[in-house]
Amino acid sequence: MQLDSVRVLDLSRLLPGPYATQLLADAGADVVKVEDTDAGDYARYTPPTTDRDVGALFDSVNRGKRSIALDLKSSAGRTAFYRLVAEADVVFEQFRPGVADRLEIDYETLTAHNDELVYCSLSGYGQTGPDAERAGHDLNYVGVAGLLDMTREDESMAPQIPGYQIGDLGGGLFAAFSIVGGLLSRELGNGGEYIDVAMTDVVASFSQAVAHEALTGGDPRPGETALTGKYPWYDVYETDDDRYVTLAALEPKFWAAFCEAVGREDLADLHGTDDPAELAAVREELEALFANRSRDAWLEALSDETMVGPVCTPAEAVEHPQLEARGLVERPEDAPPRIGFPAAGSSVPESHDESVPDHGEHTDELLAAAGYDEADRDELRENGAIL
């Protein structure tokens, strides 16, 4: 998983696209952020900020990238971009549908400069369909895709905003996967290609556990499916210190191990029942049981075979010994701590460039490599085509 020879021109901003290209950068790709000459990626200024007075989100998903500031609305800026495209492998954009066409940086236009290009568009609803041009954010996408409706205890409760941006991050992850797939396809002799990723589609694809019922005339309800709280052996329980633990004993053998560990073998045979009264009785017993000890006392008392785990705060999660052991939490000496690349392997790069680019920091470097001498760059700068 070493993408050292791959260059990605990244036109995205905020979270979804930069997360996708951060994954590619962590795998070794040369990611060039193509920012406008005005504010650039406005995640740079979104609070909270780091001790460098830069948005923490920006720092988190733009490590090891380079930045060039171009005015793509100008002819000179577009010409400079076309030169970069000629030597690139990937162009990745996150504009609303139609914007790339108006800027003359759409796939069809760019293939005239590089017919082996892998071009990926990431958007909320995709490039086609009645909502294609609708503005949106993560919350809108998870609402349309059905996730928000299922994110609550039952229908008497209001839908709860997910703690992480599932649409943004899922869309970014799938875009990165699609780009790598496109690069592999190209290496297999199929040439470049255009990829259209919709964040709403990606979230909808996460519905596999309830999709069959939904597709065959049913309407899965929160709290009434196996994985949303119907069964007491797959649920969240409060402990006596006002914390929570998860119990996920879906398989009979794990439920039996749990019942034995807590001295309630009498509950073991109830696993799999659909009788509402029995389910309510088991849940009541478990609520009372877990309320007798603190979260950490339960975790210490129960073995790995009982399917019980902690509900961690984000601060606890980044200190969790399992994540520490996996090396996911990285604490470089000369850079802020960060969540690293979420995979390990024999060819996954073990070290990464921790630098975060200033707005347009590499404009001269990249344009010089594209054939623009100092006089050319001075003229572009005087005309406002570059920063």
Side-chain angles (χ1 to χ4, degrees), residues 60-360:
S60 296
V61 292
N62 288 287
R63 302 177 309 274
K65 302 177 184 180
R66 297 191 286 172
S67 171
I68 183 171
L70 298 175
D71 178 8
L72 294 176
K73 295 179 181 178
S74 71
S75 176
R78 284 194 301 276
T79 298
F81 181 67
Y82 295 155
R83 288 205 195 180
L84 296 176
V85 168
E87 301 300 323
D89 299 285
V90 177
V91 168
F92 179 52
E93 61 94 358
Q94 192 189 303
F95 299 117
R96 286 170 65 178
V99 172
D101 297 86
R102 291 195 294 273
L103 291 174
E104 299 178 35
I105 56 170
D106 56 283
Y107 176 66
E108 295 300 328
T109 298
L110 296 189
T111 53
H113 302 274
N114 183 343
D115 61 6
E116 291 285 292
L117 197 64
V118 174
Y119 188 114
C120 182
S121 296
L122 175 64
S123 61
Y125 302 103
Q127 303 297 306
T128 59
D131 287 340
E133 296 186 20
R134 181 184 292 273
H137 274 305
D138 182 273
L139 189 60
N140 305 116
Y141 313 144
V142 300
V144 171
L147 174 64
L148 197 59
D149 174 69
M150 297 295 285
T151 308
R152 48 181 167 160
E153 186 174 341
D154 56 51
E155 286 190 289
S156 70
M157 308 290 288
Q160 299 295 302
I161 299 175
Y164 297 146
Q165 290 70 45
I166 304 299
D168 288 353
L169 297 167
L173 178 61
F174 199 83
F177 163 77
S178 299
I179 287 168
V180 173
L183 291 169
L184 175 59
S185 178
R186 189 183 68 177
E187 290 303 305
L188 292 173
N190 298 314
E193 66 178 291
Y194 176 74
I195 302 164
D196 171 11
V197 177
M199 287 177 263
T200 303
D201 292 354
V202 175
V203 179
S205 78
F206 293 163
S207 70
Q208 303 302 331
V210 297
H212 176 75
E213 184 179 354
L215 290 166
T216 54
D219 191 13
R221 297 289 75 223
E224 297 179 11
T225 69
L227 301 179
T228 62
K230 176 180 180 179
Y231 296 119
W233 42 83
Y234 192 88
D235 212 336
V236 178
Y237 292 95
E238 188 172 4
T239 56
D240 80 345
D241 56 347
D242 300 321
R243 306 303 301 277
Y244 294 88
V245 293
T246 55
L247 173 63
L250 282 175
E251 296 85 358
K253 68 175 182 178
F254 292 116
W255 175 243
F258 170 78
C259 292
E260 181 179 356
V262 299
R264 293 302 306 269
E265 290 89 340
D266 57 304
L267 299 177
D269 289 341
L270 291 173
H271 190 277
T273 182
D274 279 313
D275 181 85
E278 291 180 334
L279 292 173
V282 173
R283 179 169 281 108
E284 185 175 343
E285 293 287 346
L286 293 179
E287 288 172 348
L289 176 75
F290 281 113
N292 282 326
R293 297 187 189 182
S294 70
R295 183 195 68 174
D296 292 347
W298 276 116
L299 297 175
E300 185 176 349
L302 296 175
S303 74
D304 293 343
E305 296 301 311
T306 57
M307 288 288 190
V308 173
V311 175
C312 295
T313 67
E316 289 175 324
V318 298
E319 297 287 345
H320 196 282
Q322 177 62 26
L323 298 190
E324 290 278 5
R326 293 283 296 171
L328 183 67
V329 179
E330 300 178 356
R331 294 183 171 87
E333 293 182 2
D334 56 348
R338 70 187 188 94
I339 302 297
F341 190 72
S346 57
S347 65
V348 176
E350 294 184 359
S351 61
H352 309 283
D353 181 354
E354 301 296 336
S355 63
V356 176
D358 291 333
H359 184 200

